[in-house]
Amino acid sequence: MKTLRMATAILALSTVAALAENPMVGGAAMYEDKNIVENAVNSADHTTLVAAVQAAGLVETLSGAGPFTVFAPTNEAFAKLPAGTVETLLKPENKDQLTKILTCHVVAANAMSDAIGKMIADDKGMHPVKTVGGCEFTAMMDGDKIQIKDGQNNVATVTIADVKQSNGVIHVIDTVLLPAS
């Protein structure tokens, strides 16, 4: 009986330790053994992003093997866009434009923040980032925070880094990244 209690305690501690490795996002635990979509749907801060991914038909892609690095804008980031923009993008006739914007938030790699920081340093403060959507953005540092400058010179700051997923990593950002006009 004592051995069973000890085994249960060790399992409980290892479960807590596994959860502690990944930051909470939008009030929800993020699990390393779940994919990007499975975790994102639980984040209260990413309901707009999830709706956009669904409208663009990208659920299957982002549930795939990857690896993907997703710079995930929060609901507040989407709210910074001009009034009516999100509603317009979610319309079926704007699916191509929405898909372009969303895929410009995705890099075909598993890029943790320390690796991104090293690339920025190696490139003397500014590292080009090529996305699966064909955008080229610029990664840079502001103190110890990673920032991404988009094609319209908007700057997004990573507010939560290194949220590990089974098929990559999510970095939460505070601004929607847009392609060059």
Side-chain angles (χ1 to χ4, degrees), residues 38-180:
E38 290 170 330
N39 275 319
V41 298
N42 294 318
S43 169
D45 292 343
H46 290 90
T47 56
T48 305
L49 178 60
V50 168
V53 166
Q54 291 170 336
L58 294 172
V59 170
E60 187 175 324
T61 301
L62 291 175
S63 297
F68 302 111
T69 296
V70 175
F71 293 96
T74 61
N75 296 340
E76 287 182 12
F78 280 101
K80 288 189 208 176
L81 294 171
T85 300
V86 172
E87 295 77 12
T88 299
L89 287 170
L90 292 175
K91 291 180 179 177
E93 63 268 22
N94 297 319
K95 183 178 178 181
D96 289 344
Q97 184 181 10
L98 177 62
T99 300
K100 173 74 170 179
I101 290 169
L102 293 176
T103 56
C104 283
H105 288 81
V106 181
V107 177
N110 189 2
M112 300 298 283
S113 63
D114 58 345
I116 297 169
K118 183 177 179 340
M119 289 183 273
I120 293 168
D122 289 350
D123 287 343
K124 301 186 182 3
M126 300 183 104
H127 178 73
V129 176
K130 294 185 180 182
T131 71
V132 299
C135 295
E136 186 168 315
F137 297 150
T138 304
M140 54 200 175
M141 299 297 293
D142 181 21
D144 63 348
K145 295 275 189 185
I146 293 171
Q147 294 186 315
I148 307 291
K149 185 183 342 178
D150 72 10
Q152 297 185 21
N153 291 318
N154 299 307
V155 177
T157 299
V158 173
T159 58
I160 302 173
D162 300 334
V163 186
K164 298 172 190 165
Q165 314 290 298
S166 65
N167 60 345
V169 62
I170 291 175
H171 301 293
V172 177
I173 57 174
D174 64 357
T175 302
V176 175
L177 300 169
L178 299 171

